Amino acid sequence: MAENLLILISVIMCLCQLNRVDAEVTFVSSTCVNGANYTKNSIYEKNLNLLFSELSTKTSTHNFYNATSGKIPDKLYALYQCRTDVSAEICNECIIAATNQSVHSCPSAKEAYVWYEECMLRYANRSIFSSAETSPGPRVWSLRNVSNYDALAPVLAAKLDSVISRAAVATPFGHFATEDGNWTLFDSVYCLAQCTPDIDGFHCKNCLTRALSTMINDYNTSIRVMVFYPSCQLRYDTTEQFYHELDAAVPAPAPSEMLVTNPGKTLFFFSL
Ligand SMILES: *[C@@H]1O[C@H](CO)[C@@H](O)[C@H](O)[C@H]1NC(C)=O
Ligand SMILES: *[C@@H]1O[C@H](CO)[C@@H](O)[C@H](O)[C@H]1NC(C)=O
Ligand SMILES: *[C@@H]1O[C@H](CO)[C@@H](O)[C@H](O)[C@H]1NC(C)=O
Ligand SMILES: *[C@@H]1O[C@H](CO)[C@@H](O)[C@H](O)[C@H]1NC(C)=O
Ligand SMILES: *[C@@H]1O[C@H](CO)[C@@H](O)[C@H](O)[C@H]1NC(C)=O
Ligand SMILES: *[C@@H]1O[C@H](CO)[C@@H](O)[C@H](O)[C@H]1NC(C)=O
Ligand SMILES: *[C@@H]1O[C@H](CO)[C@@H](O)[C@H](O)[C@H]1NC(C)=O
């Protein structure tokens, strides 16, 4: 009996460990805006740290949040958005990782952006709220190509068009939509579109349409592409359902692929 209990406890502990591993977040890119730097121990730095700790306390209840700190000329504006389908726990982990990443990669920049697959964080010394922005725009794509692009193309076009339209009109989950489709008997494609909730449908659609043209013109045969902007993101993947169904309780394990970054704005995925 006691032995069984011990085994049960071990199993539970083991599952918790697994959950911890599953909860890892995936870094995409960061951009520091050069030309406007703050100095160590300045009021600006203090305001930034205050803002970061405020934002990370909001993740249990908000998947989007905007806040300000300090007074002009040391006033800061910051916001974050977590992907609508990730849990509050992952959102929290992502924002903590993103604030840390921001401090490490942009140690003195007055304005910076950080993208993870699960969240986006940005701050500036100018108002960045309710403003539709499509720059900077990191992309991630696979060097692997689909062999029969002709079969994928019409299905992908229809699905991307559909997620863009649905995200633009705002679903009950905000500017967020996912969709899957089959393009051969055996192959599926998974699509996701999201805009920040502080922009309207018109600007959301513009942002996503811009992402779409990049996707179709520059990476059209890739097995997966992600385009990130400050105000929106668009993704598809033909190898896995990378998003969670909105009512699914347990998040899927993170993809185990190597992300290789080059010094420009572009990123590559290598898949086995
Ligand atoms: C701001 O800091 C960055 C990184 O340390 C540096 O490359 C840049 O030249 C600085 N800009 C100014 C205006 O000092
Ligand atoms: C967040 O943005 C909204 C919309 O622009 C604005 O009304 C609100 O005051 C902002 N929140 C803060 C804390 O500035
Ligand atoms: C913070 O970021 C640095 C640099 O990317 C990394 O080495 C470190 O592990 C991070 N710390 C945490 C707590 O995430
Ligand atoms: C942001 O900081 C830069 C550099 O210090 C300054 O030129 C600019 O006017 C500031 N922007 C605002 C809105 O205060
Ligand atoms: C996939 O297609 C792109 C663009 O045509 C090309 O640059 C790349 O080398 C291709 N990848 C492979 C593995 O053939
Ligand atoms: C794709 O095919 C799978 C398996 O045959 C099926 O379960 C799924 O509903 C199909 N999806 C769509 C969008 O038709
Ligand atoms: C796919 O991308 C290639 C290379 O960028 C381009 O020449 C071609 O027109 C694109 N195809 C479509 C259907 O947009």
Side-chain angles (χ1 to χ4, degrees):
M1 195 59 183
E3 213 169 278
N4 283 347
L5 194 63
L6 204 63
I7 289 169
L8 185 65
I9 290 170
S10 309
V11 167
I12 289 170
M13 282 170 68
C14 193
L15 285 175
C16 290
Q17 292 272 305
L18 279 178
N19 272 336
R20 283 167 59 94
V21 173
D22 286 354
E24 276 171 12
V25 292
T26 306
F27 176 65
V28 173
S29 177
S30 61
T31 300
C32 323
V33 176
N34 282 330
N37 290 344
Y38 64 84
T39 50
K40 277 262 157 285
N41 303 316
S42 59
I43 302 172
Y44 198 87
E45 184 180 45
K46 213 178 82 197
N47 290 339
L48 180 61
N49 289 334
L50 282 173
L51 209 42
F52 278 172
S53 59
E54 181 184 352
L55 292 186
S56 60
T57 65
K58 300 295 177 186
T59 52
S60 55
T61 45
H62 295 75
N63 72 1
F64 173 88
Y65 199 79
N66 58 339
T68 66
S69 152
K71 293 201 186 93
I72 291 167
D74 296 304
K75 185 169 182 180
L76 271 115
Y77 303 79
L79 65 81
Y80 74 77
Q81 181 178 34
C82 290
R83 230 171 58 205
T84 304
D85 63 308
V86 307
S87 65
E89 186 199 0
I90 293 196
C91 183
N92 183 251
E93 186 175 336
C94 196
I95 296 308
I96 287 170
T99 52
N100 175 57
Q101 186 66 45
S102 156
V103 169
H104 279 86
S105 37
C106 307
S108 60
K110 278 196 168 178
E111 178 169 353
Y113 306 78
V114 179
W115 284 272
Y116 278 71
E117 285 193 25
E118 296 80 7
C119 71
M120 178 272 300
L121 170 81
R122 55 183 295 214
Y123 70 85
N125 70 335
R126 63 189 172 93
S127 176
I128 52 171
F129 305 155
S130 306
S131 117
E133 295 182 22
T134 51
S135 171
R139 299 105 192 243
V140 178
W141 71 98
S142 174
L143 291 180
R144 267 175 64 201
N145 297 310
V146 296
S147 49
N148 46 348
Y149 177 63
D150 288 350
L152 173 62
V155 177
L156 181 59
K159 294 296 162 186
L160 288 173
D161 192 57
S162 170
V163 283
I164 289 173
S165 304
R166 286 171 48 218
V169 297
T171 68
F173 303 103
H175 288 307
F176 178 85
T178 61
E179 206 153 311
D180 67 290
N182 297 325
W183 51 284
T184 73
L185 269 181
F186 311 105
D187 297 299
S188 303
V189 61
Y190 302 92
C191 302
L192 178 150
Q194 178 173 266
C195 297
T196 56
D198 59 340
I199 62 171
D200 62 21
F202 175 80
H203 290 99
C204 177
K205 185 152 195 165
N206 277 354
C207 187
L208 290 169
T209 302
R210 194 172 170 133
L212 175 66
S213 68
T214 292
M215 212 171 238
I216 298 302
N217 294 330
D218 300 344
Y219 312 105
N220 54 27
T221 56
S222 178
I223 57 164
R224 79 169 65 77
V225 184
M226 315 174 198
V227 180
F228 298 89
Y229 291 132
S231 296
C232 72
Q233 65 166 289
L234 187 65
R235 290 178 65 165
Y236 76 81
D237 198 319
T238 58
T239 65
E240 62 164 354
Q241 182 175 341
F242 57 88
Y243 52 79
H244 313 301
E245 297 296 348
L246 278 174
D247 33 3
V250 185
S256 52
E257 283 173 295
M258 186 170 59
L259 186 66
V260 182
T261 315
N262 75 8
K265 271 188 194 165
T266 51
L267 298 164
F268 300 90
F269 252 148
F270 291 102
S271 315
L272 297 174

